Each structure stands twice: as C-alpha cells, then as structure tokens.
Amino acid sequence: TNHLDVESIEALEDAVAAYDGSVLLVSHDRELLRSLTTKLWIIHDQRLTEFDGSFDEWEVVSSEREHAAAVQASEEEALRRVQERRRTERREERDRSTRSALRTARERVGELETRIQTAELEITEITTKLEDPELYAANDGVSTARKLGVRLDALKAELDALLEQWGAATEALETLAGQGA
C-alpha cells in the first residue's frame, strides 16, 4: 500500500473484506490492519508469536512495552547516579568528626537506598515480564500486561519520590560533613 492512492487502498480494503478465503496481509498501514485483521502473528526477536487480541490491543501492549523499556533506561541512569553519589559520600565520610549526627544521616540514606533498590528490582522484574512475548500469547495476557503496566507506573512514581527523598537526605549528610559536625 506504500505507493497506492487513497481510492486504491479503499478498493483493496473492500476486495479483501469481501473475499471469503484467507488472506495473509503484511502492511505498515495501521488503518488497513485495524479494519481487516482478525488474527495477528507478531515477529519479534526472530520468533513468531500469535497475538490473541485485536490490532488495537496489540498497539496498546506494544506501547506499554516501549514505556517499560524507557522506564528501565531511566532507572539505570538513576542507579548510576546513586552509585556515583555513594562514591562521593564515602570520600566525604572519612573527614567527618562528629559520628552521632553523621550516623543518623547515613542510616536515613541507607534506608532510602534499600527502598530504592527494592523498587528498582521490582521494576526490573515487571519490565522483564512485559518484554516476554509469551505473556501476550497467554489467554489473560492482555489483562495481565495492563495490570503490570499500572503497577509499573505506580512503582515509577514511588521510585521518583524515593529518589527525591534520597537526594534531600544526601544533601543533609553533605551539609553535616561540610560543617565538620
């Protein structure tokens, strides 16, 4: 359909819709696919998977996968920042003189880092599930993927809040170190 005009595409669509037999349709024309497809086979990572749902549902699932990949990339960057700050924190801790105030601040940062790591682990697990083509081939795959997508969004929001708290706790720790407290 790449080089066909609108009238030709519509004529093709009408002809395929009227045909009683089976048609194997390969196209980049999403409107054509939405209107004609009754069964989808998805080729991904050199695997052919039958998708149990409409083309519209596949588009939703596909966008959720892309979203999950973007979240994973964002979380890897956040982890890199956390690790970078940890190295900086370790150097600063050697110079601190008052241990009780620093100990309290370090405990708070450690608690937040543990919570961040837990959230990141769950995000990674959900992302892995969403990237598995077999999820979408299961009978309840689409609804499971939607639930996982909702949980992924909630985890991302929680992780953002934790990272913000971690940043504030890290700044407080750095201030104490700078004051020599």
Side-chain angles (χ1 to χ4, degrees), residues 28-76:
H28 290 266
D29 185 337
R30 291 177 180 275
E31 288 303 317
L32 182 70
L33 292 172
R34 278 187 199 99
S35 67
L36 293 177
T37 55
T38 57
K39 185 179 275 192
L40 295 172
W41 289 316
I42 309 301
I43 300 173
H44 181 72
D45 288 337
Q46 299 179 353
R47 291 179 59 195
L48 179 68
T49 305
E50 183 175 340
F51 181 77
D52 187 29
S54 69
F55 185 76
D56 286 331
E57 290 172 326
W58 177 81
E59 285 183 308
V60 169
V61 168
S62 180
S63 71
E64 287 174 353
R65 276 179 144 177
E66 289 174 14
H67 176 70
V71 167
Q72 182 178 5
S74 173
E75 300 314 319
E76 287 172 359

Side-chain angles (χ1 to χ4, degrees), residues 104-139:
T104 302
R106 273 189 248 121
E107 287 173 358
R108 175 70 178 143
V109 169
E111 172 190 302
L112 288 168
E113 288 174 352
T114 299
R115 291 175 61 192
I116 287 168
Q117 288 173 345
T118 301
E120 289 174 338
L121 178 62
E122 189 171 351
I123 286 170
T124 301
E125 291 172 359
I126 290 174
T127 301
T128 301
K129 289 177 184 177
L130 286 171
E131 291 175 345
D132 183 4
E134 292 180 14
L135 169 67
Y136 307 101
N139 289 339

Side-chain angles (χ1 to χ4, degrees), residues 57-108:
E57 290 172 326
W58 177 81
E59 285 183 308
V60 169
V61 168
S62 180
S63 71
E64 287 174 353
R65 276 179 144 177
E66 289 174 14
H67 176 70
V71 167
Q72 182 178 5
S74 173
E75 300 314 319
E76 287 172 359
E77 174 61 20
L79 179 60
R80 184 197 62 76
R81 288 190 313 244
V82 167
Q83 291 170 343
E84 185 176 304
R85 286 207 180 196
R86 282 183 187 159
R87 285 190 294 272
T88 301
E89 179 184 313
R90 286 185 194 118
R91 277 184 246 121
E92 292 172 354
E93 285 176 349
R94 291 183 215 126
D95 300 332
R96 294 182 182 126
S97 60
T98 306
R99 298 292 179 205
S100 62
L102 290 174
R103 187 176 307 120
T104 302
R106 273 189 248 121
E107 287 173 358
R108 175 70 178 143

